[in-house]
């Protein structure tokens, strides 16, 4: 599977592990509940560790651990739910998170430019055939009227 990261199409090495599945080697992301429950085991995991936030999750719940987390996935269960935009902005501005923030789930390629404006730097689209279009939208505008994270 391929994704867009830092304005390039690359192969994705990450996989999401649900709360009821066994941990496996490699680069994995888990829920905030699993992170908090199995933190010590995850810190010694063979691979990188990320956390997937749902819109109803709070960034504050993982804020103290951000230096240990290499990927924050922001899941969009529906394209009309914009709470992940706020999560990204908080991570970049309030918590100065410098790791990868990835949008995943149901969002449209047309939203990629606006997601990048709030600090998301990686995009896992539902259809890989949309990657070239989504990548091109990152260059839609050369001038911004408002200050943002980029």
């Amino acid at each position: 599977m391929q994704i867009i990261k830092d304005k390039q199409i690359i192969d994705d090495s990450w996989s999401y592990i649900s709360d009821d599945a066994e941990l496996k080697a490699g680069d994995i992301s888990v829920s905030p509940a699993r992170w908090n429950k199995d933190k010590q085991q995850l810190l010694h995991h063979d691979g990188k560790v990320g956390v997937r936030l749902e819109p109803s999750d709070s960034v504050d719940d993982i804020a103290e651990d951000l230096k240990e987390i290499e990927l924050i996935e922001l899941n969009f269960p529906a394209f009309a739910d914009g709470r992940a935009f706020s999560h990204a902005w908080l991570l970049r501005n309030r918590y100065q998170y410098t790791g990868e923030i990835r949008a995943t789930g149901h969002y449209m390629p047309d939203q990629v430019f606006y997601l990048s404006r709030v600090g998301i730097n990686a995009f896992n689209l539902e259809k890989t055939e949309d990657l070239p279009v989504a990548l091109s939208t990152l260059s839609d505008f050369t001038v911004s009227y408002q200050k943002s994270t980029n």
Side-chain angles (χ1 to χ4, degrees):
M1 176 116 190
Q2 292 187 308
I3 63 167
I4 297 171
K5 181 179 176 186
D6 298 328
K7 298 184 178 182
Q8 295 183 346
I9 296 174
I10 64 167
D11 291 328
D12 182 22
S13 65
W14 290 84
S15 58
Y16 176 72
I17 306 296
S18 64
D19 288 349
D20 57 349
E22 284 190 38
L23 296 177
K24 64 179 188 177
D27 302 338
I28 60 169
S29 63
V30 297
S31 71
R34 183 129 191 206
W35 169 259
N36 287 320
K37 179 180 153 242
D38 297 331
K39 187 184 311 181
Q40 291 308 312
Q41 182 181 1
L42 289 164
L43 289 173
H44 297 95
H45 167 74
D46 184 20
K48 298 175 187 171
V49 178
V51 172
R52 177 180 286 189
L53 295 177
E54 298 295 329
S56 60
D57 292 327
S58 173
V59 174
D60 296 340
D61 292 344
I62 60 168
E64 291 182 14
D65 298 325
L66 287 174
K67 62 182 176 290
E68 310 287 346
I69 301 170
E70 297 193 41
L71 166 72
I72 302 291
E73 286 185 304
L74 301 177
N75 190 34
F76 289 80
F79 79 91
D81 190 330
R83 289 177 283 179
F85 284 83
S86 299
H87 288 340
W89 190 92
L90 288 170
L91 286 163
R92 292 289 188 222
N93 293 291
R94 180 179 295 170
Y95 299 109
Q96 307 298 309
Y97 181 70
T98 58
E100 179 180 342
I101 301 177
R102 180 183 299 187
T104 189
H106 302 281
Y107 61 96
M108 297 180 292
D110 294 352
Q111 294 175 298
V112 167
F113 175 80
Y114 302 103
L115 290 165
S116 73
R117 293 282 293 149
V118 294
I120 294 174
N121 67 321
F123 305 92
N124 182 7
L125 293 153
E126 291 184 296
K127 296 185 275 182
T128 54
E129 60 265 24
D130 289 341
L131 288 173
V133 172
L135 183 61
S136 72
T137 67
L138 290 170
S139 302
D140 276 353
F141 303 101
T142 57
V143 176
S144 300
Y145 292 119
Q146 296 177 335
K147 181 180 174 188
S148 190
T149 59
N150 62 6

